[in-house]
Amino acid sequence: MISRDVRRLVLILEAEGYGFLAGEILGEVDSGRLVPSDDAGEGVSLEAAFETDRIPDGRSEDRPCRRQPIPLDEQLAEAIGILRLRLVEPARRLAEAERLAGDLTIGEPVRFALIEDDEVISARSDLVAPGDDRFAVKLDDLLGRILSDEPPMEVG
């Protein structure tokens, strides 16, 4: 069963054109979270973990895992965690990489772009300076406020 808050979040994401992310959230929350099983099992590489339902537990060997239902009152936090992993963290890492590349080369952040067959297939907007992670920070703050029930900030 999916909580009302997660259903509302999914509807917002779909309405804003993020249906793929809404579907991922629904699938993950409905499936439950991965937790290590009690039995020890054999060591499994991270690549094999995706195919065998085994997850690393931070020790020298991996353990079998299972899906554990997520209680209704924890589902929104789980969904927000997925949004942070898919939206906030990649944006922060990209900005950090642009700053680091600049530090190693010309002394100021360098704009990254993905190029395939001499054609730019993805680049950050010109509205965002290279190395700028303010939008990621604002999104992370917004997601935190959603979880804490704080009123929205004035936009301006």
Side-chain angles (χ1 to χ4, degrees), residues 47-146:
E47 292 78 21
F50 292 110
E51 298 172 11
T52 62
D53 284 335
R54 292 175 182 257
I55 56 173
D57 66 359
R59 295 184 286 196
S60 61
E61 60 184 46
D62 297 332
R63 298 173 60 189
C65 71
R66 60 184 170 77
R67 292 279 185 167
Q68 179 182 56
I70 303 169
L72 289 176
D73 63 337
E74 295 177 18
Q75 288 182 1
L76 182 60
E78 192 78 18
I80 295 295
I82 292 169
L83 288 175
R84 282 186 168 131
L85 285 173
R86 296 293 182 256
L87 300 175
V88 175
E89 288 307 313
R92 282 184 171 165
R93 298 300 167 245
L94 175 59
E96 181 181 11
E98 289 175 335
R99 288 189 301 268
L100 181 60
D103 290 345
L104 294 173
T105 57
I106 61 175
E108 59 187 57
V110 174
R111 183 174 307 280
F112 285 178
L114 301 177
I115 299 174
E116 185 176 299
D117 298 328
D118 296 330
E119 182 180 336
V120 175
I121 58 172
S122 178
R124 290 180 77 181
S125 167
D126 288 334
L127 300 175
V128 179
D132 185 356
D133 66 352
R134 287 179 293 161
F135 290 114
V137 170
K138 285 181 181 181
L139 178 58
D140 192 37
D141 181 57
L142 173 66
L143 294 173
R145 286 197 321 273
I146 289 171

